[in-house]
């Protein structure tokens, strides 16, 4: 069963804006962190930021702070990653993932979306 | 940021043989609750990452028991007891103890 579903691939020009989405369920969004991860081939994976949809508590990795905005709408179990001004260097696959906020005791889930490929080219 | 350094970067393996991937942290990863949030992920070609191991040594549901994790302090290991062809991909260690969470640079496992 697919737990997180991401929006489709995007092709944009430098300077354009973009908002991609990640939709889950109450199970994956309540009491959870939703994370965004960037994957550039040959550069590996990078955690960009996390948001708790319950209270919109958001934390950004310093590498991405000010470059992207992470938001969520708890009412529809959706999270978003947006850029106001895209650059060619933003070309990458972007994944969302979900895990509980409290992981101190016992096993805990870790779900990933299928990824959204963003291509920025003139 | 916590820096995770993996070795080797590339790991050619023979099917049926064991393989080990190492992950070293530049600082301790014990969280205030006493847990070490060191995870291992597998990313097969064209697929999303999949967590194999969490909290150093706990195996995720559905993960074959040929995968095991160990370690303490700043040194951690992912071991595959007998490599199978389906294990080809890139393996990443990741820490969730301190924000920002970080990944190692990855180890590419390929069949000889």
């Amino acid at each position: 069963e697919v737990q997180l579903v991401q929006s489709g691939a995007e092709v944009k020009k430098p300077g354009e804006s973009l908002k991609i989405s990640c939709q889950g369920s109450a199970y994956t969004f309540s009491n959870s962190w939703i994370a965004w991860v960037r994957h550039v081939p040959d550069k590996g994976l990078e955690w960009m930021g996390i948001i708790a949809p319950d209270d919109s508590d958001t934390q950004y990795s310093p590498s991405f702070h000010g470059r992207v905005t992470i938001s969520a709408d708890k009412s529809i179990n959706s999270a978003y990653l947006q850029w106001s001004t895209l650059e060619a260097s933003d070309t990458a696959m972007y994944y969302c993932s979900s895990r509980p906020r409290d992981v101190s005791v016992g096993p805990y889930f870790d779900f990933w979306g299928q990824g959204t490929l963003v291509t920025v080219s003139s | 940021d916590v820096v995770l350094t993996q070795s080797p970067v590339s790991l050619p393996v023979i099917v049926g043989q064991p393989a080990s991937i190492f992950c070293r942290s530049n600082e301790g990863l014990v969280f205030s609750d006493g847990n070490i949030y060191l995870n291992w992920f597998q990313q097969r070609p064209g697929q999303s990452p999949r967590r194999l191991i969490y909290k150093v040594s706990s195996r995720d549901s559905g993960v074959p028991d040929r995968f095991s994790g160990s370690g303490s302090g700043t040194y951690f290991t992912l071991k595959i007891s007998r490599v199978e062809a389906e294990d080809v991909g890139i393996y990443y260690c990741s820490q969730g103890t301190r924000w920002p969470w970080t990944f190692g640079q990855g180890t590419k496992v390929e069949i000889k």
Side-chain angles (χ1 to χ4, degrees):
Chain A
E1 181 186 349
V2 178
Q3 301 284 356
L4 296 175
V5 179
Q6 297 185 229
S7 50
E10 301 274 1
V11 179
K12 292 288 190 178
K13 290 181 166 50
E16 292 185 331
S17 62
L18 175 64
K19 188 174 188 178
I20 62 175
S21 67
C22 169
Q23 183 165 33
S25 65
Y27 178 67
T28 55
F29 269 62
S30 294
N31 301 308
S32 295
W33 289 113
I34 304 300
W36 286 97
V37 175
R38 184 172 77 175
H39 181 219
V40 177
D42 298 329
K43 284 195 69 178
L45 301 169
E46 299 174 272
W47 297 100
M48 302 174 68
I50 54 175
I51 187 167
D54 286 337
D55 57 14
S56 293
D57 181 9
T58 307
Q59 300 180 47
Y60 293 93
S61 168
S63 300
F64 295 93
H65 195 272
R67 287 280 301 126
V68 298
T69 300
I70 294 172
S71 59
D73 184 340
K74 180 185 176 183
S75 69
I76 55 173
N77 298 314
S78 292
Y80 307 94
L81 176 65
Q82 68 181 91
W83 295 260
S84 58
T85 307
L86 285 161
E87 300 176 0
S89 59
D90 294 316
T91 295
M93 180 72 83
Y94 293 88
Y95 295 100
C96 63
S97 75
S98 170
R99 49 146 274 194
R101 291 179 86 169
D102 182 4
V103 294
S104 59
V105 178
Y108 60 98
F109 64 76
D110 183 83
F111 297 122
W112 290 70
Q114 83 278 18
T116 296
L117 180 62
V118 174
T119 303
V120 184
S121 174
S122 55
Chain B
D1 298 4
V2 174
V3 177
L4 300 177
T5 303
Q6 290 183 229
S7 60
V9 172
S10 177
L11 183 57
V13 295
I14 296 172
V15 170
Q17 293 298 303
S20 291
I21 300 170
F22 305 101
C23 176
R24 177 171 48 85
S25 174
N26 68 333
E27 54 185 276
L29 297 179
V30 179
F31 191 59
S32 55
D33 62 9
N35 289 306
I36 296 176
Y37 293 102
L38 190 286
N39 308 313
W40 289 95
F41 290 87
Q42 174 195 61
Q43 189 173 28
R44 290 172 170 151
Q47 295 188 14
S48 301
R50 167 200 183 195
R51 194 182 67 187
L52 301 176
I53 303 288
Y54 62 97
K55 295 183 192 177
V56 181
S57 58
S58 295
R59 192 181 308 113
D60 270 281
S61 175
V63 174
D65 61 8
R66 63 179 181 275
F67 290 94
S68 64
S70 63
S72 63
T74 60
Y75 204 68
F76 305 93
T77 304
L78 176 70
K79 183 172 182 180
I80 310 174
S81 59
R82 293 173 306 280
V83 172
E84 297 191 5
E86 67 179 19
D87 299 336
V88 165
I90 302 178
Y91 291 77
Y92 298 91
C93 59
S94 177
Q95 66 83 21
T97 293
R98 296 189 221 302
W99 183 258
W101 302 341
T102 50
F103 288 100
Q105 80 274 34
T107 294
K108 187 173 186 178
V109 172
E110 55 188 9
I111 301 299
K112 272 186 184 176

